Amino acid sequence: MVGEFSTSGRILTINDKFLEILNMKRQQMVGRLHKDFASTYESTEDYRKFWQKLEIGESLESTEYLELPNGISLWLQQMYMPIKNNKGEIFKIINIVQDITENKRQEELLQKQTEKMNKQDVVMKKQILELENTQSKLSYAYTEAKQKLTTIEKSIYIIEYDLTGKLISANDNYLNLTGYSIQELNGRNVKLSVPSEEIETFNKNWE
């Protein structure tokens, strides 16, 4: 796509391909100023310097966002080349253009997807951290409960007798308390451990 501007930025000519991309007629474009469409930096100091450089013969490249009167918006990669006459004076600017609108749209879509993924990553990391904290709390609670159970088990004495009152088994706590081994206590009648003055009451309860 090719167009020509005067040194003041007014459109002199524009080819058919350029008009097709812009979806405009030649009479709608010729005679219009470049700044009528250059929404990227219209009226800024950079924009004025841009044209000043062209006026002194410096070729420039730029990426511009254009908003046209017909509602179409475009991203264009442009090259501006000042052209001199026989006297060595700059009398027009050749503008060679490539439409990169679709590329820009894809970039914007990719950027949005990347931002979305980054947000999801933040949420996921937060959930992982919360899960790790929960696991840590559960591990601590389990260890604490196990310690309490161990303490309780150390304070419980378990002795098992048959129906005649003979000892069948006893846990380590009871054995440590009495100082006997299980072999020494096995088969021993519980009555032998009952004081004589309580034996009658014991017999009644056992029956």
Side-chain angles (χ1 to χ4, degrees), residues 134-168:
T134 300
Q135 290 177 331
S136 178
K137 290 178 181 178
L138 289 174
S139 178
Y140 176 80
Y142 171 77
T143 302
E144 187 177 30
K146 189 175 181 181
Q147 290 174 343
K148 289 180 179 179
L149 182 61
T150 300
T151 301
I152 292 172
E153 288 176 346
K154 288 182 178 179
S155 62
I156 294 177
Y157 303 98
I158 302 174
I159 311 97
E160 184 181 0
Y161 298 94
D162 65 12
L163 296 179
T164 64
K166 292 181 180 180
L167 189 144
I168 299 173

Side-chain angles (χ1 to χ4, degrees), residues 1 10 22 44 49 76 90 97 138 146 170 191:
M1 299 181 292
R10 195 172 296 277
L22 298 176
T44 66
K49 289 180 179 179
L76 303 177
I90 305 297
V97 181
L138 289 174
K146 189 175 181 181
K191 292 180 181 181

Side-chain angles (χ1 to χ4, degrees), residues 22 115 131 134 168 171 178 192 196:
L22 298 176
E115 290 174 354
L131 179 60
T134 300
I168 299 173
N171 69 351
T178 60
L192 298 177
S196 57

